[in-house]
Amino acid sequence: MNPTTVAPAPRAHRRAWPHPVLSLLLAASWVLLNRSVAPAHLLWALLLGWGVPYLLRPWLDAAGRVDWGAALRLTLVVLWDIVVANVTVARLTLGPLQRVQPAWVYVPLASDHARVNALLASIITMTPGTVSAVVDEEQRRLLVHVLNTDDPAALVADIKVRYEAPLLRVFRVGDGNTGQPLDDRSA
């Protein structure tokens, strides 16, 4: 067996807990919404966290493997970029409007992985000053409106390096740099 290959989870575990991360998020959300760790709320959190993903498993994709280290690094980059973009947008909107150079930009997608592309569009939209308008799956590109850019090519390169490549690593799609499928290289 290739050392980079991870053994699949036991089938019984997958049937009982089809989406463990979703289960955890639902349970935590329930506790936070109720602002209580009373036994009744914890029991409901457990039931909802297990029951909702279990009942919806025919309609949910199989939970894939995630590189949590890459996910944490990407989260920190996105949070930092949101703070920096807020300051930049504030300066632009409070300054002379002649400086603003809006543009529509196409970002070519390196993968047809639905989660990667949806999260890339979401990250772009969450970052002030940019909005992803269309994910064109046929032509594998994302249409982005940017509030201010003097170099659209540099913006596209920045999106691909800062967000798309890490997303490819998070979901273990391609090599995380070019989006090319991984072959069965021996490590």
Side-chain angles (χ1 to χ4, degrees), residues 14 18-20 22 53 56-64 113-115:
R14 281 285 186 212
H19 291 275
L22 178 59
L56 294 177
R57 73 182 184 277
W59 296 282
L60 296 174
D61 289 339
H113 192 276
R115 285 187 185 134

Side-chain angles (χ1 to χ4, degrees), residues 101-154:
Q101 297 177 356
W104 288 97
V105 178
Y106 280 109
V107 178
L109 299 171
S111 169
D112 59 358
H113 192 276
R115 285 187 185 134
V116 169
N117 296 339
L119 283 171
L120 178 61
S122 296
I123 289 169
I124 290 169
T125 299
M126 285 188 300
T127 307
T130 55
V131 176
S132 55
V134 176
V135 178
D136 187 347
E137 292 178 355
E138 274 185 24
Q139 296 184 9
R140 287 178 58 168
R141 63 185 186 176
L142 180 66
L143 179 60
V144 175
H145 182 268
V146 61
L147 179 64
N148 185 45
T149 185
D150 54 353
D151 189 358

Side-chain angles (χ1 to χ4, degrees), residues 35-80:
R35 296 186 299 188
S36 170
V37 290
H41 290 295
L42 292 176
L43 180 61
W44 272 110
L46 180 66
L47 287 172
L48 286 172
W50 170 79
V52 171
Y54 185 79
L55 293 173
L56 294 177
R57 73 182 184 277
W59 296 282
L60 296 174
D61 289 339
R65 296 261 183 230
V66 172
D67 181 343
W68 291 104
L72 178 61
R73 286 187 298 276
L74 176 62
T75 301
L76 295 174
V77 166
V78 170
L79 290 174
W80 175 254

